[in-house]
Amino acid sequence: MLPGLVLAALLVACNGLFGTARNGVDFASNDLRTSHSPLPQASEYVYLVLSAEIAGQRGDYAGALEHYLEAAKLTPDPKVAERATQIALYAKNLGSAAEAAALWSQRDPSNTAPKRISAILNLKQGNLEQGVAQLRTLLSLPSVDVESTLIELVKMLDGELSKEDGLRVMKSLQEAFPHVAEVHFAYALLATNKGEYALALDQTQKALSMQPRWSRAQLLQAQLMSQMGDSESARDIIRKAVSRDPANDRLRLILAQFLTKTGDLRGAERELKGVLSRDPGNDDARFGLAVLLLETGKEDSARAELRKLLGTEKWRGQASFYLGLLELRQNHLPEALVFFDSVDSGPSEFDARVNAVTVLVSLGRVDEARGRLSELRQRFPNESLRLYLVEADLLVKRKEPQAAFDLLTSALAEDPGRAELLYSRALIADQLGRADLLEADLRAVIEKSPNDANALNALGFTLADRNLRLDEAKSLIARAMQLKPNDPAVMDSWGWLHYRLGKLDVALDYLERAHRLFKDPEIAAHLGEVLWESGRREEARRVWRGALSKDPEHREMQRIRSKYREAFLR
């Protein structure tokens, strides 16, 4: 509901109107008393304010705004114009907000807030010249906070104006204030957000030429150099900034990040430990150190640091997530599940919940795992595709391909034509012996994405394996080879196709290359078969034995054992 004033009393003349805050905007200190100027025609003013409040309580924001704007025109009290401005902004009525802000500024000339709002509103409405002119006036006032005003401006320009218009506004301000470091810095921030790194670096350097010890600008300069591929220079900039301000732990944390990025993990660990020695309560440094210790294999030390963070609000969730990963790594499944389940918010929540599902499967609690996946799809609808695929893979591993097929069919009813779902269902259809559905789904993927190498390869291999339409199979796999020339799965298909074509030398060449890259049982089955048919039977046995030792239940190896029984008699 629109914030409104609760009229505790209605007094004519000097007593004024009093209000309290409601949902959204805080008006506790924004009463409409008129101690500095007399009320206008009392009855008309009171009628307008009361009408505005009643309209607001009923959700009629347009009516509330109309009446407050009229009331603002009747009184010199800036509080009324301020109120009208806030309501207009709340209702996203930019035209009325600009009108109300102009009234507010007229009634309170020393206040910079309405001037800032007016400038931004003009920019939002495309009145760039007028908005820039207002910003020039605003930034020239001795009372304005230049840096915070410009940071707010950059956020608006980045989110609501086109790249060209935003940069044009900042260029105009930079030309108007060539000797103001904050203007150059704001221009650099916007250019960074827009991907104009060379421009951003130039403006950052100009800001630093005026304020050489400005750490915020130094950090931006380092960030830009890193994004432009010069991590070493970025690191050196941060080192110099730290040497000038050795007590600045924020700089040291950023230096640790750069050291990690450039591979100097020992140096990063030293910096983080240094921060913690000076400030044991610096939880940001502690979390960074814990992650670094994990990366360097110091699991016990990492665990100790993470446990210290369990009592902090900011890092509790991520600490629990990493502790869960540590327990999972050591196959302590119940302990891992407890940690993953304790992550109920924050950036690690989704991954923690998916890992919890993995743990439940390992514990044999598959039905519970499936129930959680269903709940996750409701809670994280943007991740539903990934969750459907996770559950389908789970069912396939449980040797329930029909259930996996049905699940993906349901998912496709929700998201028709989704390539990932079609591709996965096609592979499961193959296990069910539904060659018609396999081919139909793969063709649907290729129709939507003609350069989907996986789908091209899968359909080409299916045709080759069934010894059907080999010319079409060759065309499909050749396209996949162009897209993924070094993919062992595609090499395997190409080799298997040539085996079907009777070209054993070509087949062996590609199958051997594929097997060297990826010791997969299916590739081994194909390679062994071509070796056997080429008369190289001992080599075939060696390849097959290696595959069986890895996965004795693999479907292709079961086919080989059935077809070449004599190969396994000794």
Side-chain angles (χ1 to χ4, degrees):
M1 183 178 289
L2 184 70
L5 294 171
V6 177
L7 298 182
L10 179 57
L11 303 176
V12 181
C14 296
N15 289 337
L17 300 169
F18 296 84
T20 59
R22 285 191 179 269
N23 312 321
V25 182
D26 183 7
F27 290 98
S29 62
N30 188 26
D31 62 61
L32 301 181
R33 284 176 290 184
T34 55
S35 55
H36 299 293
S37 55
L39 279 171
Q41 185 73 24
S43 59
E44 184 178 1
Y45 176 77
V46 170
Y47 167 77
L48 289 169
V49 172
L50 282 174
S51 298
E53 288 302 319
I54 292 170
Q57 294 293 337
R58 292 174 176 173
D60 179 9
Y61 306 146
L65 174 58
E66 178 184 356
H67 287 104
Y68 254 119
L69 199 52
E70 287 302 313
K73 293 174 183 176
L74 290 175
T75 176
D77 190 343
K79 293 286 187 180
V80 184
E82 180 182 1
R83 173 72 166 166
T85 305
Q86 291 166 332
I87 294 172
L89 291 172
Y90 185 87
K92 295 183 170 57
N93 187 328
L94 301 187
S96 294
E99 183 181 359
L103 287 170
W104 181 12
S105 186
Q106 289 170 14
R107 284 148 176 70
D108 190 1
S110 63
N111 192 337
T112 61
K115 294 178 173 61
R116 183 169 61 249
I117 291 171
S118 291
I120 288 177
L121 286 171
N122 270 306
L123 294 175
K124 284 184 177 183
Q125 294 177 94
N127 304 323
L128 299 190
E129 289 186 11
Q130 188 174 350
V132 168
Q134 289 175 317
L135 285 170
R136 288 174 179 168
T137 301
L138 178 65
L139 293 172
S140 300
L141 296 174
S143 59
V144 73
D145 184 337
V146 173
E147 185 173 352
S148 65
T149 299
L150 287 168
I151 296 301
E152 180 184 347
L153 174 65
V154 167
K155 289 178 182 177
M156 189 283 295
L157 294 176
D158 188 32
E160 303 196 37
L161 264 66
S162 68
K163 173 180 176 178
E164 294 74 18
D165 284 348
L167 292 174
R168 189 179 303 124
V169 168
M170 287 310 307
K171 183 179 180 182
S172 297
L173 291 177
Q174 177 248 303
E175 290 171 348
F177 300 97
H179 304 299
V180 177
E182 290 85 353
V183 174
H184 291 289
F185 179 73
Y187 194 4
L189 278 179
L190 183 63
T192 300
N193 294 342
K194 298 300 185 183
E196 296 290 339
Y197 298 139
L199 172 61
L201 186 59
D202 175 64
Q203 290 299 314
T204 305
Q205 289 168 341
K206 287 178 179 177
L208 284 169
S209 70
M210 300 170 198
Q211 294 188 30
R213 295 180 177 274
W214 191 4
S215 61
R216 193 169 184 180
Q218 290 170 334
L219 293 179
L220 180 58
Q221 184 184 38
Q223 175 191 338
L224 286 164
M225 287 189 167
S226 179
Q227 287 174 322
M228 296 171 76
D230 192 355
S231 295
E232 290 190 8
S233 294
R235 180 195 60 199
D236 292 342
I237 289 169
I238 299 299
R239 281 192 187 280
K240 289 177 182 177
V242 168
S243 67
R244 285 193 290 265
D245 189 3
N248 190 328
D249 286 340
R250 181 168 176 268
L251 284 175
R252 289 190 177 277
L253 287 177
I254 294 170
L255 174 59
Q257 291 177 4
F258 277 101
L259 292 173
T260 300
K261 187 173 182 178
T262 56
D264 185 1
L265 301 185
R266 186 172 297 177
E269 183 178 341
R270 184 169 56 249
E271 289 295 336
L272 291 168
K273 286 182 174 178
V275 171
L276 285 170
S277 68
R278 291 185 297 277
D279 180 11
N282 192 318
D283 296 329
D284 293 349
R286 193 172 302 283
F287 181 73
L289 177 61
V291 173
L292 187 63
L293 292 169
L294 278 174
E295 291 181 7
T296 54
K298 300 173 182 177
E299 294 186 358
D300 290 341
S301 298
R303 182 181 285 104
E305 299 299 339
L306 289 168
R307 285 190 176 278
K308 294 175 185 177
L309 292 167
L310 291 176
T312 69
E313 183 177 352
K314 179 178 180 180
W315 294 111
R316 182 185 300 115
Q318 292 194 66
S320 296
F321 174 67
Y322 280 105
L323 284 166
L325 291 180
L326 278 169
E327 298 297 344
L328 184 59
R329 189 179 297 176
Q330 296 186 357
N331 206 35
H332 298 160
L333 301 183
E335 294 84 353
L337 184 60
V338 169
F339 279 120
F340 289 140
D341 281 348
S342 69
V343 183
D344 56 8
S345 62
S348 298
E349 181 187 2
F350 178 78
D351 288 333
R353 292 180 183 271
V354 172
N355 274 278
V357 168
T358 302
V359 172
L360 287 170
V361 172
S362 300
L363 289 169
R365 295 156 60 179
V366 177
D367 290 339
E368 185 180 348
R370 292 194 66 189
R372 290 203 187 191
L373 285 169
S374 179
E375 292 172 5
L376 282 174
R377 284 194 289 272
Q378 299 298 317
R379 180 168 172 76
F380 299 96
N382 292 336
E383 297 286 352
S384 61
L385 170 64
R386 176 180 166 186
L387 293 167
Y388 272 121
L389 296 176
V390 167
E391 187 172 356
D393 183 60
L394 164 61
L395 291 167
V396 169
K397 288 177 179 175
R398 288 188 73 193
K399 301 189 184 306
E400 297 182 37
Q402 185 62 55
F405 183 90
D406 293 342
L407 176 73
L408 293 175
T409 300
S410 298
L412 281 163
E414 296 177 11
D415 192 359
R418 187 63 179 252
E420 297 92 331
L421 296 172
L422 287 166
Y423 180 76
S424 296
R425 189 174 71 169
L427 299 185
I428 295 170
D430 181 42
Q431 295 185 33
L432 295 171
R434 298 292 306 274
D436 56 334
L437 288 173
L438 180 151
E439 186 170 337
D441 280 352
L442 290 175
R443 289 194 185 282
V445 174
I446 293 168
E447 184 177 352
K448 289 177 69 70
S449 305
N451 292 323
D452 189 318
N454 293 330
L456 290 165
N457 179 59
L459 181 55
F461 173 80
T462 299
L463 295 175
D465 196 44
R466 291 159 57 198
N467 216 8
L468 296 173
R469 305 196 299 279
L470 295 183
D471 287 343
E472 183 184 1
K474 186 175 184 179
S475 173
L476 290 164
I477 301 171
R479 285 163 61 192
M481 284 283 287
Q482 290 178 333
L483 294 164
K484 287 188 171 183
N486 299 313
D487 188 311
V490 180
M491 290 181 183
D492 172 66
S493 298
W494 192 244
W496 196 240
L497 168 73
H498 281 84
Y499 172 58
R500 292 297 195 212
L501 293 170
K503 299 180 180 180
L504 301 189
D505 289 345
V506 177
L508 277 174
D509 178 34
Y510 279 93
L511 289 170
E512 286 174 337
R513 286 162 58 186
H515 192 250
R516 280 196 297 272
L517 289 169
F518 185 35
K519 297 292 192 292
D520 177 71
E522 184 167 355
I523 297 175
H526 296 157
L527 174 59
E529 183 164 346
V530 178
L531 286 169
W532 186 275
E533 297 299 335
S534 300
R536 296 161 60 178
R537 298 194 168 185
E538 282 305 315
E539 292 177 69
R541 286 192 179 96
R542 283 199 300 273
V543 170
W544 284 335
R545 280 197 295 268
L548 282 170
S549 67
K550 282 189 170 184
D551 189 354
E553 302 301 321
H554 194 280
R555 189 174 62 164
E556 272 299 288
M557 287 308 304
Q558 292 303 312
R559 179 186 69 80
I560 291 293
R561 293 189 75 160
S562 176
K563 183 175 180 179
Y564 297 98
R565 294 180 184 275
E566 68 271 30
F568 302 95
L569 294 177
R570 59 182 179 86

